[in-house]
Amino acid sequence: MSFLEKLKNQILIGDGAMGTLLYSYGTDCCFEELNLSHPEQIQNIHKAYIGAGADVIQTNTYAANYLKLQRYGLEDSVKEINSAAVHNAKIAAKNDAYVFGTIGGNRGVKPNSISLEDLKRSFREQLYCLLLEGVDGILLETFYDLQELEAVLTITRKETNLPIISQLALQEPGILQDQTPVNEAFLRLENLGADVIGLNCRLGPHHTLLSLEQIEIPAHAYLSAYPNASLPAYTDGKFHYEGDAEYFRKSALAFRNEGVGLLGGCCGTTPEHIRAIASELKNVVPITQKVVKIKPPKQVVEVVSIKRDFPPLEKIVKKKPSIIVELDPPRKLDTTKFFKGAKALKEVGIDAITLADNSLASVRISNESLGYLVKTQLEMRPLIHIACRDRNLIGLQSHLMGLHTLGMNDVLAITGDPARVGDFPGASSVYDVSSFELIQMIKQLNEGLSFSGKDLGQKTSFSIAAAFNPNVRHLDKAVQRLEKKVQLGADYFISQPVFSEEKLLEIYESTKHLNAPIYIGLMPLLSSKNAEFLHNEVPGIKISKTIRDRMAKFNDNPVQAVQEGIEITKSLIDTALDLFNGIYLITPFLRYELTVELALYARQRASELQRNRIAVSTIH
């Protein structure tokens, strides 16, 4: 009898986790490669699940695609691994179980991490390998991104008439990370040709059942569920799951009562879990009708505009010249000089103090703490840099929620320098996301949604700056990055320091079509050594030979060298203000007296320019 025929009249039992068992045996490598190097081990796990009562087993191919295998240098072994996996499953199954070829999702919680075209290309290769080996069906599992699952399901249905199981993974019960309700997603998957639609991974039995309570029994498909055993624990350097088989057994009938016709297990489940649900559902027939628990309508909370202490910088700089100054948090605990500098800059009337996030991966006092003191004690606007290097997704969202709570709404999203260039070369660089994804995620917080799509109960009001490095050979490519950042939600840009009038003109011509304003970065040079170091060793900074030669003339006169650096910067301010409203002054080594002088000069020049423009407009 065919798989789908059986589902009409009985509840089928799926298998449990493959990776959990391999990990518990001490295997911590590419699990899919074991199809080739340790086939007996894979076959024995399949046999254990069949012996426990599984009617359906899945091949050990969850990550056996080009995109994931390339992490191990195995991207050229897609065919061999998938073929061996089907072979191993068939040896174990004989005629006692259906063998489904498994293909896992790639995108996870970062929907833009891989292009749809790359996903399709990698998927087709794996799909064809599985179909050529004669599987009984295809199982698409652990898809957090609905767009990805819809794309690969469409391809699969076009290529085969075999049964297709399509399973989503949720961050929160009942709703996908893009806020699509599960019931709506299931209808879409059913309309695209899925024979079985369901949920797997991430959630244990309790929360999976909560999600299924809201699901109608499909008109032309069947429901499946492969919950995790529990939440994972981490002990002595290893992950493990503590949900026992008895707990799984007690939930089996509840799954049947929600309309599930195929029930298995995901992370943390073992043959004991499968044996438990198989014994509980033996001779139990599936239901054909159920009463859907209508989730009470979400109470609409009127979104109150959050009063900002300062108007958004992008609005200021679009209307008039605006000056912001970077004042790096100290490397040591004495903040006296920092706050003297901040007070002096306030007296000059700058619009914001920008605070780097451990720039060049060098440890400094937290910019969040100093930003809060700048805001509360000096009543100045702090602009907080946020690097992707030091925090994972959890830490980034928590940090941003904290900034919102403290009323610090101005942020600069950057990828950040790698840890190996800083004070602790053995430290890890996280980079869960790049600045592109971070911008998009901050914009999502402004819509009241967490990174994973959960309702935050309130909207943040972040003004999002993005970084711009114009010191590149191909400025057009850098501008394309700006255009992409605007699409993702960037409100304005802050550039790396520029050291020539020619470059300023080039930037203007290349970016004048952008609606997002730019703060042009300018930094006074202190000496010839300083100029050579920045030019040759600091990423993103290039200084023309003309400027370096000017600084070299004062090698023996440090005081005059600093003055020359000031004069160079003033000349750049003159040109920049003719082209841009935004000036971003970078304070070197907490020498705030230099940026105070430059900020004062920039304000005076800006006032002169405005008076001249008014005079010209009056004449005409």
Side-chain angles (χ1 to χ4, degrees):
M1 188 182 297
S2 73
F3 168 76
L4 294 177
E5 284 294 321
K6 271 196 175 182
L7 273 177
K8 288 180 181 178
N9 302 306
Q10 69 182 86
I11 296 173
L12 297 183
I13 305 299
D15 58 4
M18 174 69 72
T20 297
L21 291 179
L22 293 172
Y23 188 75
S24 70
Y25 296 160
T27 303
D28 189 11
C29 58
C30 175
F31 294 151
E32 287 73 19
E33 189 280 333
L34 298 174
N35 289 305
L36 297 171
S37 60
H38 293 76
E40 299 86 359
Q41 194 173 16
I42 304 301
Q43 292 167 21
N44 287 338
I45 292 175
H46 287 317
K47 290 174 183 177
Y49 280 120
I50 295 169
D55 302 298
V56 180
I57 62 171
Q58 51 188 304
T59 55
N60 179 33
T61 53
Y62 172 78
N65 61 65
Y66 182 94
L67 294 172
K68 289 187 174 179
L69 288 177
Q70 66 181 348
R71 301 172 191 171
Y72 303 95
L74 296 169
E75 63 271 25
D76 294 328
S77 301
V78 173
K79 184 179 187 304
E80 291 84 352
I81 289 174
N82 281 276
S83 298
V86 177
H87 180 69
N88 291 332
K90 284 186 171 183
I91 287 176
K94 297 180 181 176
N95 294 316
D96 299 325
Y98 299 103
V99 173
F100 272 64
T102 294
I103 303 177
N106 282 282
R107 278 182 168 177
V109 297
K110 296 185 283 185
N112 293 310
S113 57
I114 308 170
S115 73
L116 209 54
E117 288 309 308
D118 285 343
L119 287 169
K120 290 177 180 178
R121 191 179 304 113
S122 175
F123 177 82
R124 283 192 179 96
E125 180 184 21
Q126 185 181 8
L127 175 66
Y128 296 155
C129 292
L130 293 170
L131 292 176
L132 284 171
E133 294 300 325
V135 291
D136 297 315
I138 297 295
L139 170 58
L140 309 173
E141 67 165 3
T142 321
F143 282 81
Y144 286 92
D145 185 65
L146 181 58
Q147 182 192 40
E148 180 186 6
L149 180 52
E150 287 180 319
V152 299
L153 172 57
T154 300
I155 293 170
T156 310
R157 187 74 293 164
K158 183 178 178 181
E159 296 296 333
T160 182
N161 291 320
L162 291 174
I164 304 172
I165 304 170
S166 296
Q167 296 189 145
L168 290 159
L170 309 179
Q171 295 285 351
E172 186 177 7
I175 195 161
L176 276 67
Q177 63 186 21
D178 67 354
Q179 295 301 288
T180 303
V182 173
N183 205 40
E184 179 186 326
F186 277 11
L187 285 172
R188 286 161 61 172
L189 296 175
E190 184 181 5
N191 289 335
L192 287 172
D195 299 291
V196 180
I197 46 183
L199 303 173
N200 82 289
C201 206
R202 177 69 177 89
L203 305 177
H206 174 74
H207 289 102
T208 304
L209 283 166
L210 282 180
S211 300
L212 290 170
E213 287 176 355
Q214 306 164 39
I215 305 301
E216 301 166 353
I217 293 180
H220 306 292
Y222 302 93
L223 291 178
S224 66
Y226 281 61
N228 282 359
S230 65
L231 294 173
Y234 188 71
T235 307
D236 296 330
K238 285 193 173 184
F239 290 99
H240 60 95
Y241 293 81
E242 297 180 350
D244 62 20
E246 178 61 17
Y247 176 63
F248 239 58
R249 183 190 66 78
K250 290 177 180 177
S251 69
L253 280 176
F255 278 105
R256 175 261 185 187
N257 293 338
E258 294 302 334
V260 170
L262 172 62
L263 181 61
C266 203
C267 301
T269 58
T270 66
E272 290 306 310
H273 292 81
I274 301 307
R275 182 173 288 107
I277 60 174
S279 64
E280 188 70 10
L281 295 176
K282 188 176 182 180
N283 300 323
V284 175
V285 296
I287 65 169
T288 55
Q289 292 181 324
K290 65 178 269 195
V291 176
V292 177
K293 284 191 178 181
I294 305 297
K295 193 175 181 180
K298 191 174 179 180
Q299 192 171 6
V300 178
V301 180
E302 184 179 350
V303 178
V304 180
S305 300
I306 299 168
K307 187 177 181 300
R308 291 177 56 108
D309 295 312
F310 309 96
L313 281 172
E314 66 270 18
K315 291 187 177 180
I316 294 175
V317 75
K318 281 183 177 180
K319 293 179 180 178
K320 63 178 184 178
S322 172
I323 303 162
I324 61 177
V325 178
E326 180 173 314
L327 196 63
D328 270 350
R331 295 173 186 265
K332 298 183 179 180
L333 295 174
D334 185 358
T335 60
T336 306
K337 189 173 183 180
F338 173 86
F339 282 104
K340 278 185 180 179
K343 288 175 184 175
L345 289 164
K346 179 184 180 183
E347 291 172 5
V348 177
I350 66 169
D351 290 311
I353 280 186
T354 85
L355 298 160
D357 191 5
N358 296 324
S359 59
L360 294 178
S362 296
V363 178
R364 299 174 182 270
I365 294 175
S366 156
N367 61 358
E368 179 181 18
S369 59
L370 285 182
Y372 182 69
L373 294 176
V374 163
K375 176 177 178 287
T376 55
Q377 294 183 7
L378 302 182
E379 297 182 341
M380 296 179 73
R381 178 205 306 267
L383 195 163
I384 307 298
H385 299 204
I386 303 176
C388 301
R389 175 194 58 240
D390 301 326
R391 303 174 186 90
N392 63 11
L393 283 169
I394 299 168
L396 283 170
Q397 179 172 313
S398 176
H399 181 50
L400 284 158
M401 291 170 74
L403 291 175
H404 166 78
T405 303
L406 295 172
M408 292 188 282
N409 305 302
D410 298 277
V411 295
L412 169 63
I414 59 173
T415 300
D417 306 299
R420 65 176 178 272
V421 308
D423 297 345
F424 294 93
S428 300
S429 296
V430 181
Y431 297 131
D432 270 5
V433 292
S434 70
S435 59
F436 291 97
E437 290 95 1
L438 180 57
I439 291 166
Q440 188 176 30
M441 289 171 172
I442 298 172
K443 210 66 178 179
Q444 194 165 311
L445 295 181
N446 283 351
E447 296 300 318
L449 300 174
S450 74
F451 292 176
S452 61
K454 292 182 180 179
D455 182 3
L456 293 175
Q458 192 177 101
K459 295 181 179 182
T460 61
S461 56
F462 288 113
S463 175
I464 308 167
F468 169 37
N469 177 19
N471 302 308
V472 292
R473 289 185 180 179
H474 303 288
L475 188 57
D476 57 326
K477 292 183 179 178
V479 173
Q480 288 172 9
R481 290 172 63 86
L482 300 191
E483 292 167 346
K484 182 178 179 182
K485 289 179 179 181
V486 170
Q487 291 173 0
L488 293 173
D491 297 305
Y492 62 103
F493 295 99
I494 297 176
S495 87
Q496 289 276 30
V498 177
F499 291 95
S500 78
E501 283 82 0
E502 293 79 12
K503 177 59 72 172
L504 289 172
L505 289 166
E506 185 186 3
I507 294 169
Y508 173 75
E509 290 299 328
S510 299
T511 62
K512 61 185 179 182
H513 66 286
L514 294 175
N515 188 41
I518 299 173
Y519 280 88
I520 291 295
L522 302 171
M523 181 170 67
L525 297 169
L526 302 180
S527 65
S528 176
K529 284 185 178 180
N530 176 227
E532 293 296 337
F533 170 75
L534 292 171
H535 176 72
N536 291 291
E537 297 193 37
V538 177
I541 296 181
K542 291 297 173 188
I543 302 173
S544 69
K545 188 175 186 303
T546 303
I547 297 296
R548 300 198 321 270
D549 287 345
R550 283 179 64 175
M551 295 303 297
K553 291 178 182 179
F554 302 100
N555 272 338
D556 299 326
N557 191 334
V559 174
Q560 189 59 44
V562 170
Q563 191 56 43
E564 185 69 10
I566 289 285
E567 292 306 315
I568 290 170
T569 309
K570 284 181 178 179
S571 176
L572 292 168
I573 287 173
D574 292 341
T575 303
L577 284 173
D578 284 333
L579 305 170
F580 303 93
N581 272 351
I583 299 294
Y584 164 51
L585 298 172
I586 302 162
T587 307
F589 304 107
L590 277 180
R591 295 282 298 273
Y592 64 84
E593 70 278 5
L594 305 181
T595 40
V596 165
E597 180 180 344
L598 291 168
L600 186 60
Y601 177 81
R603 281 181 61 82
Q604 291 169 346
R605 290 289 295 128
S607 297
E608 291 172 12
L609 284 170
Q610 281 190 303
R611 285 196 297 269
N612 292 338
R613 287 167 185 165
I614 291 171
V616 170
S617 64
T618 302
I619 292 172
H620 291 287

